Amino acid sequence: MDGSYHNQALLAKLAVVAMAMFGFGYLLVPFYYKLCEVAGLNQLQAADSVPRNTQVDEGRAITLQFDANLRDGLPWVFRPLQTTAQVHPGQFVQVLYEVRNDSDQAVLAQAVPSYAPQAAALYFRKLECFCFTQQSLRPHETRQMPVVFLIDPAIPGDMPTVTLSYTFFEIEGVRPQASANGKGRDVARL
Amino acid sequence: MTTRLAQILAGLLLCLAAGAARSQSKYNFQPPQTVIAHDIYDLHMLLVGICAVIFVVVFGLMFYAIVRHRRSVGHQAKQFHGNLRVEVLWTIIPCLIVVGMAYPATKTVIAMKDTSHADITVKATGYQWKWRYDYLGEDIGFYSDLSTPREQIENRASKGENYLLEVDHPLVVPVGKKVRILVTANDVIHSWWVPAFGVKQDGIPGFVRDSWFKVDAPGVYRGQCAELCGKEHGFMPIVVDAVPEEKYNAWVADQKAKNSAAVVAAASAAGKTYSLDELKTEGEKVYAKNCVACHQASGQGMPPTFPALAHGKIATGPVPGMVDIVMNGSKKNPTMAAWKGQLSDTQIAAVITFARNSFGNTLGDMVQPSQIAAVRN
Amino acid sequence: MQAVLERAAGGEPVTQPKGIMRWVRTTNHKEVGTLYLWFAFAMLMVGGVMALMIRAELFEPGLQIVQPELFNQLVTLHGLIMVFGAIMPAFVGFANWQIPLMIGAQDMAFPRLNNLSFWLLPPAAILLVASFFAPGGATAAGWTLYAPLSIQMGPGMDMAIFAVHILGASSIIGAINIITTILNMRAPGMTPMKMPMFVWTWLITAYLLIVVMPVLAGAVTMLFTDRHFNTHFFNAAGGGDPVLFQHIFWFFGHPEVYILILPAFGIISQVIPAFARKPLFGYRSMVLASCAIAILSIAVWGHHMFTVGMPAAGQLFFMYATMLVAVPTGVKVFNWVGTMWEGSLTFETPMLFAIGFICVFVFGGLTGVILAIAPVDVQMQDSYYVVAHFHYVMVAGSLFAIFAGLYYWLPKWTGHMYDEKLGKWHFWLSMIFFNLTFFVMFFLGLAGMPRRIPDYALQFADFNKIASIGAFGFGLTQLLLLYVVIKCIRGGEKVPARVWDGASGLEWTVPSPAPHHTFATPPVVE
């Protein structure tokens, strides 16, 4: 019948659209990260290339603050060894963070950086950072970890203070206690 | 007659708006205490004014039609169904109104985002279900917990003036200084909101997000968590004590002194040995403040999310297992926090002892602060 | 019980199943419409009871009736059930009854799919209600299901996810059915620009449904795999971001609220011309405005996220785009007033609800514009101001429009006039109690009361008491509606084909009650 053919053709087309939109929902995920990357908002977990212009801008000083957080349940103590620093854009900076594993087991964790203001992320060139790799600490081990970076001289003038904050998350599946129970995991799977 | 009606309506609306603006009444925002809060307040009044005018015009016309263009007074319907000029006008004019609203709003948006040149930086971390404040660069940090007694919430005592809006350790900030506040969260999304400041910033676990405020006048300002974060979402208020600069500096010095004293005290307490009764008494206090919301006064909990301590597997099991859960939280159930950061060795030892000897549990054993200290290190 | 429904031209069925099986197997658009409407009413009652439990707890400060955990579950399920179980199925019920009648079609394009779309709903509803009895109770993450809180929830969350998938499937299948019916099965001579506004708004709504419901399905599936299969879409630890959930959810969520209101606009556009006895003012611009609203609605989701920490550029974009939606919406309101202007108005119950809709929807809509202003939103986000706003547009908006349509078309469906006096009582009581309940919530929000809390500070007590009283009044008033509807079904003054003297449209050319089969031969439209 003529009518029902047209109906079925339209049904097929609309069903395809519906399925495509389901895929689009998933596509929003990489789209979101790409947008964040382009806007400089997301953390990049790989070493940055050093910018061509590493001329130190002596005329400007940026106040850096260093912050540390743990996700609940991680039996570590985590702190920056210095809480602030005054740096010039273009100047190489090394800062140390200290972690201590207070438990009786080896623990594997990953640090995630965050910047305030967010836009500062675009201008942080990290050459070495403990956030690039998972960190494993033996029972009761204390370790000092460096972050080596410079701030791109292109950083605009409206960010005289920048806070660099790290949060350590435990990697699941390493410690025997860490159950693979689906609920409420706050650990990394990388 | 109906133009009169419209005039009366307009007048009433304006009175209402004016009244709301003037009175510190419950019909408008809380009195603004920062420049941003002032801006928001004024912006809102402008918007309400524009909306009031729109109401009067639209409803005036509609009610005119209802009264005059009805069949029961014999009005005949005119069969028009369009008028290009009118339609163009009533599309363009709203566009202009919208642009007019957007302009002052844009300026405020940009001002709210400018966290540069702050005098102090504070980090607010949302936990389930309390806040923690850290003063970056000062090595001062503390938890800020609801201090309204449970009896008031459960209607067994009459409610105090600042019911649900009081904490044990408020955030202290200097008046007239730009405070940059970094908001994050430990577990789920929370939100730090102080209406008098015009500040609301969501705390996203894993990230810090900054905002700022500069308080005009000294006072105590109260707010609440503004993002659903679990069962005690309504019970984790924010209290900010804005004090003159000298008082603030004195407070900072005092806090630092207390920190070192606390370290000393904890160390000495950790060395002491307590009796079972001493531990149970102290433990009962710790329990009432920190554990009762989930594990209940009866120790029955609310299984499965909040296990019973009464005859509970862990509470009556080996001591090290219970110590680990209380210190480090539960992997399986993240609503069980890691208390090692919030309670001293003595408090942890006491509450474990209390739980193992209450609610029908009769283990008779006790845990000394030194045992907790050993695990901690 | 075998049944063969003979589809002879104008012929009566040979045999048809009786009793329950008739309703289980029906493929008749009128019967499916009836099923949807009864289901929606039942869900309105279930969601309403939850609302009353919430308001009972909030009557006074302190915890009296429910513990915070259960309170949050009630808040969550109230939202899910009202949105997905009451409002959306009610509008689909209207679509089923009215679209074929209004376009001169014999039935929907896919009658058996139509049956499936409906029967997917009761299992989903049972899942949602049953989730209260799962270990840990129903999900308590708010109907918006934000991660990571929703990831912490127990099995009740998984039941809700499953229910949302089923509800989404039902909506998508229904939307495909509606689009196909409208595009392919209009009577000869009914060009698109001759379609009634109700048909237009449903066409646009159906397209929106197909575009956004699958995205919701994606979002809750991501929640599901984050919960159980070690993905980390919303977990910063794994390189994910909790805010990503909000983006995906609101990409669905904002168009969803327009899905909830566009059919309401369509109903109002049918009712007002009938009782003004003149054609709809600005039909063409109504169509354009509805399209504009739908398209713009896809670009404004960020206004639910002004406080997450997005950069100023993001706040500004979403603020401007959201404010822009006010323009076509305003145009629609002006067109309705323009329809009333110089009309010959009478005020039977459908018209009362339509006028009530305009009054209260304008209020809700303008508070939406206020919320769109990002700095002001920073004070109002997650406060009772937002709760008031969306109840104004969804209850006074969608629900009152549903009531208007119900009174308008019930005589056509049943062949009897409803009791006009009781209908008017229903209207006035609903209006008064609705405003009593929700108007004061604007002040609560301004004063600083957050939402989703079971207990509150003392300065919020007076308005909460008023709101709770209003809520009980509003809830009880809806029992009056039930009485009116049942009374009308059972009997009443017989009505002619053209029930309302000012009404126009193909549905008024068939007898009242509308026969089981109509338009077996399509009419010709001039």
Side-chain angles (χ1 to χ4, degrees):
Chain A
M1 237 176 53
D2 222 35
S4 76
Y5 165 73
H6 282 132
N7 289 351
Q8 276 160 15
L10 190 50
L11 178 144
K13 282 188 217 147
L14 293 171
V16 166
V17 171
M19 286 187 283
M21 289 311 297
F22 183 76
F24 176 78
Y26 275 88
L27 216 68
L28 282 177
V29 180
F31 189 61
Y32 173 77
Y33 288 117
K34 196 75 204 162
L35 213 66
C36 288
E37 193 185 302
V38 160
L41 295 174
N42 209 12
Q43 66 275 19
L44 301 168
Q45 291 182 291
D48 295 303
S49 57
V50 179
R52 281 175 195 280
N53 173 18
T54 50
Q55 199 172 25
V56 178
D57 182 354
E58 300 276 356
R60 265 204 298 168
I62 301 211
T63 305
L64 288 174
Q65 294 172 328
F66 303 104
D67 178 51
N69 299 290
L70 290 166
R71 272 310 280 278
D72 212 0
L74 186 57
W76 285 9
V77 174
F78 177 41
R79 63 191 188 97
L81 285 185
Q82 59 189 109
T83 51
T84 79
Q86 291 270 89
V87 302
H88 298 294
Q91 173 190 351
F92 277 94
V93 185
Q94 174 172 296
V95 177
L96 287 173
Y97 273 80
E98 182 182 273
V99 266
R100 192 177 77 221
N101 181 359
D102 271 355
S103 77
D104 290 324
Q105 295 163 306
V107 181
L108 185 65
Q110 169 78 42
V112 172
S114 176
Y115 303 84
Q118 268 177 288
L122 205 52
Y123 303 99
F124 257 79
R125 303 266 175 259
K126 296 220 271 310
L127 297 140
E128 196 188 314
C129 178
F130 58 87
C131 58
F132 294 158
T133 50
Q134 298 175 0
Q135 301 296 321
S136 173
L137 287 184
R138 291 185 302 280
H140 304 289
E141 181 188 348
T142 301
R143 188 187 300 167
Q144 294 184 347
M145 305 172 303
V147 185
V148 180
F149 62 93
L150 63 82
I151 299 187
D152 194 323
I155 190 169
D158 61 359
M159 284 188 256
T161 309
V162 176
T163 308
L164 169 60
S165 177
Y166 287 99
T167 305
F168 254 112
F169 294 84
E170 183 170 358
I171 307 280
E172 186 217 290
V174 174
R175 274 204 296 165
Q177 232 169 301
S179 89
N181 186 315
K183 286 200 302 284
R185 249 192 334 273
D186 56 7
V187 295
R189 283 269 308 186
L190 292 165
Chain B
M1 195 266 298
T2 41
T3 21
R4 260 305 210 96
L5 193 60
Q7 282 169 345
I8 295 173
L9 258 163
L12 273 169
L13 273 163
L14 278 162
C15 282
L16 195 68
R22 247 181 293 120
S23 63
Q24 299 312 333
S25 68
K26 25 190 205 168
Y27 298 105
N28 207 341
F29 283 132
Q30 292 181 18
Q33 297 294 336
T34 65
V35 168
I36 295 289
H38 274 290
D39 280 352
I40 294 174
Y41 190 98
D42 294 339
L43 198 51
H44 178 245
M45 291 313 299
L46 172 68
L47 294 167
V48 168
I50 295 175
C51 289
V53 171
I54 295 175
F55 278 143
V56 167
V57 170
V58 174
F59 292 155
L61 289 167
M62 190 173 82
F63 282 109
Y64 185 90
I66 286 174
V67 170
R68 292 299 194 97
H69 299 162
R70 48 164 69 194
R71 189 173 69 176
S72 57
V73 300
H75 192 268
Q76 295 298 320
K78 295 206 171 80
Q79 297 295 315
F80 58 84
H81 44 65
N83 181 324
L84 188 60
R85 190 154 42 126
V86 166
E87 293 183 61
V88 165
L89 266 177
W90 74 34
T91 310
I92 292 188
I93 292 180
C95 280
L96 293 173
I97 294 178
V98 156
V99 169
M101 290 176 174
Y103 176 67
T106 303
K107 297 204 297 188
T108 310
V109 166
I110 295 175
M112 287 168 93
K113 282 290 178 181
D114 178 13
T115 59
S116 61
H117 306 290
D119 295 302
I120 67 170
T121 302
V122 180
K123 182 172 72 169
T125 307
Y127 284 76
Q128 281 172 316
W129 290 281
K130 58 175 72 99
W131 290 94
R132 179 179 171 86
Y133 299 114
D134 290 285
Y135 289 70
L136 257 48
E138 302 276 18
D139 206 24
I140 298 174
F142 51 85
Y143 290 92
S144 182
D145 213 339
L146 174 71
S147 63
T148 300
R150 211 79 212 166
E151 305 87 65
Q152 289 186 20
I153 298 175
E154 290 165 3
N155 306 305
R156 288 181 281 117
S158 64
K159 297 174 171 52
E161 187 194 342
N162 291 311
Y163 178 71
L164 294 192
L165 291 177
E166 51 202 348
V167 299
D168 50 9
H169 304 117
L171 178 69
V172 180
V173 296
V175 167
K177 297 282 177 197
K178 185 166 180 175
V179 179
R180 183 159 157 261
I181 179 151
L182 304 176
V183 185
T184 182
N186 180 68
D187 33 45
V188 297
I189 300 180
H190 298 267
S191 190
W192 198 85
W193 180 29
V194 179
F197 296 171
V199 173
K200 181 183 288 151
Q201 182 56 55
D202 288 0
I204 317 283
F207 304 103
V208 289
R209 295 279 179 259
D210 57 343
S211 186
W212 70 275
F213 57 89
K214 188 197 277 195
V215 190
D216 298 335
V220 178
Y221 305 106
R222 304 173 193 273
Q224 291 184 266
C225 175
E227 185 60 63
L228 179 64
C229 54
K231 73 188 205 53
E232 303 280 302
H233 162 59
F235 302 98
M236 46 182 290
I238 292 143
V239 177
V240 182
D241 194 4
V243 296
E245 196 183 350
E246 321 78 60
K247 250 187 100 181
Y248 171 74
N249 292 331
W251 176 84
V252 168
D254 190 51
Q255 285 297 110
K256 289 188 169 155
K258 277 215 187 83
N259 271 352
S260 15
V263 168
V264 169
S268 73
K272 264 185 78 175
T273 308
Y274 294 90
S275 72
L276 181 62
D277 281 327
E278 284 175 316
L279 288 167
K280 278 168 68 178
T281 311
E282 172 69 13
E284 190 173 7
K285 286 195 237 141
V286 175
Y287 187 87
K289 190 171 181 311
N290 297 287
C291 321
V292 75
C294 298
H295 290 292
Q296 304 298 297
S298 59
Q300 295 296 332
M302 282 188 278
T305 322
F306 308 112
L309 298 179
H311 313 292
K313 198 167 70 132
I314 294 173
T316 55
V319 168
M322 189 172 183
V323 170
D324 183 57
I325 283 251
V326 174
M327 295 274 284
N328 298 314
S330 165
K331 278 265 75 56
K332 279 203 294 221
N333 190 343
T335 44
M336 175 60 189
W339 294 94
K340 69 166 193 269
Q342 303 177 40
L343 298 174
S344 69
D345 295 344
T346 310
Q347 289 172 310
I348 293 179
V351 76
I352 291 177
T353 307
F354 170 74
R356 294 173 76 82
N357 290 288
S358 307
F359 317 126
N361 298 338
T362 48
L363 287 122
D365 52 14
M366 50 180 166
V367 178
Q368 296 294 341
S370 50
Q371 290 169 263
I372 306 297
V375 175
R376 207 188 267 278
N377 304 313
Chain C
M1 288 255 196
Q2 295 307 299
V4 172
L5 284 167
E6 199 178 309
R7 294 230 248 160
E12 288 306 303
V14 173
T15 56
Q16 61 177 329
K18 305 270 194 291
I20 294 271
M21 285 315 286
R22 167 182 165 196
W23 296 100
V24 171
R25 301 190 51 167
T26 179
T27 56
N28 179 287
H29 73 98
K30 303 183 180 74
E31 293 186 339
V32 173
T34 301
L35 283 171
Y36 267 104
L37 288 167
W38 278 116
F39 174 82
F41 187 79
M43 289 294 107
L44 185 72
M45 293 293 108
V46 171
V49 164
M50 293 182 196
L52 292 183
M53 289 172 73
I54 292 168
R55 284 302 339 159
E57 176 54 58
L58 291 173
F59 182 67
E60 276 179 339
L63 294 176
Q64 292 90 9
I65 308 197
V66 295
Q67 286 302 302
E69 255 210 326
L70 179 58
F71 183 88
N72 290 346
Q73 295 173 24
L74 288 169
V75 160
T76 306
L77 269 288
H78 165 76
L80 286 171
I81 285 180
M82 288 305 207
V83 168
F84 292 107
I87 303 284
M88 286 172 80
F91 281 132
V92 177
F94 277 104
N96 261 291
W97 253 107
Q98 291 303 123
I99 291 180
L101 283 176
M102 285 167 139
I103 63 176
Q106 189 177 43
D107 205 302
M108 299 291 286
F110 305 108
R112 280 169 297 188
L113 273 185
N114 206 16
N115 173 292
L116 173 67
S117 295
F118 172 74
W119 281 110
L120 283 173
L121 295 184
I126 290 172
L127 259 177
L128 282 179
V129 176
S131 70
F132 276 104
F133 303 103
T139 176
W143 90 280
T144 48
L145 303 177
Y146 280 6
L149 185 63
S150 48
I151 310 222
Q152 275 185 355
M153 294 286 140
M157 179 75 242
D158 300 309
M159 292 171 79
I161 289 175
F162 197 23
V164 165
H165 272 129
I166 297 174
L167 294 163
S170 163
S171 290
I172 294 171
I173 296 172
I176 292 179
N177 212 346
I178 287 170
I179 293 177
T180 312
T181 308
I182 296 175
L183 291 185
N184 285 0
M185 294 174 65
R186 293 191 311 277
M190 182 172 282
T191 56
M193 291 309 269
K194 288 213 188 111
M195 295 194 315
M197 274 313 297
F198 180 70
V199 177
W200 261 115
T201 53
W202 244 118
L203 179 64
I204 296 167
T205 304
Y207 273 119
L208 270 182
L209 274 166
I210 293 184
V211 166
V212 302
M213 287 302 304
V215 176
L216 174 67
V220 298
T221 308
M222 290 183 217
L223 273 183
F224 189 71
T225 55
D226 261 26
R227 283 166 57 80
H228 299 294
F229 295 107
N230 297 328
T231 56
H232 36 78
F233 290 102
F234 311 124
N235 184 353
D241 189 346
V243 175
L244 174 61
F245 177 82
Q246 296 184 35
H247 281 290
I248 302 179
F249 179 84
W250 286 115
F251 185 86
F252 146 78
H254 194 80
E256 167 67 14
V257 312
Y258 288 99
I259 288 168
L260 293 170
I261 200 67
L262 277 167
F265 290 163
I267 293 178
I268 301 301
S269 293
Q270 300 296 141
V271 170
I272 292 191
F275 293 91
R277 294 168 181 77
K278 52 194 277 279
L280 182 67
F281 186 94
Y283 172 88
R284 182 173 288 266
S285 65
M286 283 299 231
V287 173
L288 286 172
S290 307
C291 292
I293 290 173
I295 293 172
L296 273 172
S297 76
I298 297 180
V300 300
W301 76 91
H303 66 233
H304 299 273
M305 300 165 57
F306 278 143
T307 57
V308 297
M310 71 167 79
Q315 288 183 324
L316 290 173
F317 168 76
F318 284 117
M319 177 170 83
Y320 299 148
T322 308
M323 291 167 79
L324 211 55
V325 181
V327 176
T329 314
V331 165
K332 290 181 90 77
V333 172
F334 303 146
N335 280 341
W336 289 319
V337 176
T339 309
M340 292 169 70
W341 189 259
E342 299 278 15
S344 184
L345 302 171
T346 53
F347 303 99
E348 291 86 332
T349 308
M351 186 60 163
L352 285 178
F353 271 110
I355 295 175
F357 167 93
I358 294 180
C359 291
V360 202
F361 178 79
V362 167
F363 208 87
L366 284 174
T367 54
V369 176
I370 294 179
L371 281 165
I373 307 292
V376 178
D377 181 82
V378 166
Q379 289 281 49
M380 295 172 164
Q381 162 86 316
D382 260 284
S383 77
Y384 261 82
Y385 196 94
V386 177
V387 175
H389 158 74
F390 65 67
H391 281 95
Y392 260 79
V393 288
M394 272 205 285
V395 179
S398 304
L399 191 61
F400 279 19
I402 289 171
F403 291 161
L406 197 60
Y407 284 102
Y408 186 55
W409 283 310
L410 203 55
K412 168 59 59 187
W413 300 339
T414 60
H416 309 125
M417 181 51 78
Y418 59 84
D419 185 327
E420 178 63 45
K421 191 146 95 96
L422 286 181
K424 288 197 159 83
W425 270 101
H426 177 225
F427 168 72
W428 285 109
L429 287 175
S430 296
M431 269 300 269
I432 291 170
F433 282 122
F434 169 81
N435 278 293
L436 199 64
T437 310
F438 293 106
F439 191 72
V440 292
M441 289 187 188
F442 286 117
F443 301 132
L444 282 173
L446 285 171
M449 180 175 172
R451 61 187 280 208
R452 296 167 166 170
I453 57 176
D455 190 8
Y456 47 80
L458 298 179
Q459 67 259 35
F460 305 129
D462 295 337
F463 285 147
N464 267 291
K465 194 166 259 183
I466 295 174
S468 291
I469 294 172
F472 273 86
F474 186 72
L476 288 171
T477 302
Q478 306 322 312
L479 295 176
L480 182 56
L481 172 69
L482 181 63
Y483 179 76
V484 171
V485 169
I486 293 181
K487 184 175 172 191
C488 179
I489 292 174
R490 290 165 124 228
E493 182 197 328
K494 291 231 184 306
V495 289
R498 188 170 301 274
V499 177
W500 312 103
D501 66 88
S504 61
L506 285 174
E507 74 264 38
W508 308 108
T509 65
V510 304
S512 309
H516 195 67
H517 295 302
T518 42
F519 297 126
T521 337
V524 177
V525 173
E526 274 93 59

